[in-house]
Amino acid sequence: MASLTTIAILAGSVAVAGYTINGKTQPGARRASSETSPVAPAAKARVVRVTGEDFKFDAPDVIPAGLTEFRFMNKGPSLHHMAILRLDDGKTIEDLRSALANPGPPPSWMKELGGPNAPDAGTEANATMMLRPGNYALICFVDIGGPPHFAKGMIRPLRVVPARSVASAPKADVTMNLVDYNFKLSTPIKAGARTIRVHNSGAQPHEVELVQLNSGVTLGEFMKWMEKMEGPPPGKALGGIAGMVPGMAEYFTANFTPGNYALVCFVPDARDGKPHFAHGMARQITVR
């Protein structure tokens, strides 16, 4: 798909092992008087930068727990995303590889925690979430034109270690609820850099892939193209939030220009294995 850069507006502060975290106290700050007290700026999420390409991730091995913004750069040339899985204590990346090599439902000790969904090659997507200490995996489930990318090596362990975090969740412009099988917006999305809170209110895992449709293209035409994927894609992949378990909520920020967009869930259904868009979980929205 062609390109449109997603914009992450959360800052970072000190440099730590391959990612940045912002928010140092500025020198020369005015001392509070007896009548007034300065309002401390809200602490922001730690920023972790990850790149993906055919077929690997470049990411830190260890990061601290707390509110974390992942910024995922797709170096392509294929479409990739950066889904995040939490593994129960005692389970390893090798256990995960073995489990995924066998057909059937995912193991109960693996939980889908979202992460930046697929942006076009050469562009960036983001996702902000709360992480607790434990073992995780970064993985790409994209399977366009062949086996899923994790089967080609696009899977990597991530260790999250205890750390103090005082960051608060970002302020959302819109809340998007994922239900079985639809997308419900608290308010229409307006043009500009917007932060979307995505909450899975459904009974099974869901995701949102955000696609900016080409001028004059409808959702129906886009979904028809999806059947065979012949010719250039009629839209641009911007990211969103990868599959996450019921009850979870996280955030992504994108630059919305006026036009039509598609919201699509590709997660396989727990009952029949068909992607959720086959059950109607695809919606067209208009940004003005």
Side-chain angles (χ1 to χ4, degrees):
M1 296 184 177
S3 27
L4 176 69
T5 304
T6 52
I7 299 177
I9 60 171
L10 302 177
S13 92
V14 296
V16 181
Y19 55 90
T20 55
I21 315 164
N22 284 334
K24 296 179 181 177
T25 302
Q26 297 301 311
R30 185 163 55 92
R31 185 183 298 272
S33 70
S34 58
E35 288 100 9
T36 61
S37 297
V39 177
K44 297 183 179 181
R46 297 183 174 104
V47 175
V48 176
R49 298 184 182 275
V50 178
T51 59
E53 55 188 303
D54 295 3
F55 292 97
K56 64 180 182 178
F57 290 108
D58 183 9
D61 296 318
V62 180
I63 64 173
L67 191 68
T68 305
E69 180 196 1
F70 288 96
R71 297 182 185 177
F72 174 65
M73 169 58 71
N74 179 11
K75 290 189 174 181
S78 302
L79 200 66
H80 297 298
H81 71 176
M82 195 203 86
I84 301 173
L85 307 178
R86 179 177 169 82
L87 311 181
D88 283 357
D89 290 344
K91 295 299 181 179
T92 67
I93 198 75
E94 294 307 322
D95 294 326
L96 180 60
R97 286 193 177 100
S98 297
L100 294 177
N102 299 314
S108 60
W109 45 264
M110 179 199 91
K111 292 181 175 60
E112 297 174 271
L113 297 189
N117 224 338
D120 275 340
T123 66
E124 185 179 276
N126 60 84
T128 299
M129 68 191 71
M130 185 64 71
L131 292 177
R132 61 187 179 90
N135 291 324
Y136 294 77
L138 309 182
I139 188 167
C140 183
F141 288 108
V142 174
D143 61 355
I144 297 174
H149 291 171
F150 67 78
K152 299 180 179 182
M154 205 162 181
I155 180 172
R156 180 188 174 99
L158 176 69
R159 178 71 178 165
V160 177
V161 297
R164 180 175 177 270
S165 175
V166 295
S168 55
K171 181 180 179 181
D173 298 293
V174 177
T175 293
M176 178 188 297
N177 280 304
L178 313 181
V179 299
D180 305 338
Y181 300 94
N182 203 352
F183 301 92
K184 297 184 177 181
L185 300 177
S186 61
T187 185
I189 299 174
K190 297 179 180 179
R194 303 298 176 197
T195 296
I196 312 299
R197 179 180 183 267
V198 181
H199 178 236
N200 184 0
S201 303
Q204 57 180 306
H206 290 298
E207 69 174 349
V208 56
E209 174 65 27
L210 176 67
V211 178
Q212 183 178 24
L213 299 174
N214 291 349
S215 179
V217 173
T218 66
L219 174 63
E221 292 169 330
F222 176 79
M223 299 309 293
K224 186 175 181 180
W225 175 85
M226 286 281 298
E227 294 175 5
K228 296 182 178 179
M229 295 189 179
E230 295 178 349
K236 305 172 184 178
L238 302 185
I241 297 295
M244 58 183 178
V245 295
M248 275 201 67
E250 57 195 68
Y251 302 78
F252 76 95
T253 299
N255 187 36
F256 292 86
T257 57
N260 292 326
Y261 293 75
L263 310 176
V264 187
C265 181
F266 293 91
V267 172
D269 192 76
R271 293 174 296 180
D272 59 17
K274 295 180 180 179
H276 286 163
F277 67 75
H279 291 274
M281 199 164 178
R283 177 180 172 182
Q284 180 173 319
I285 62 171
T286 299
V287 173
R288 296 182 171 87

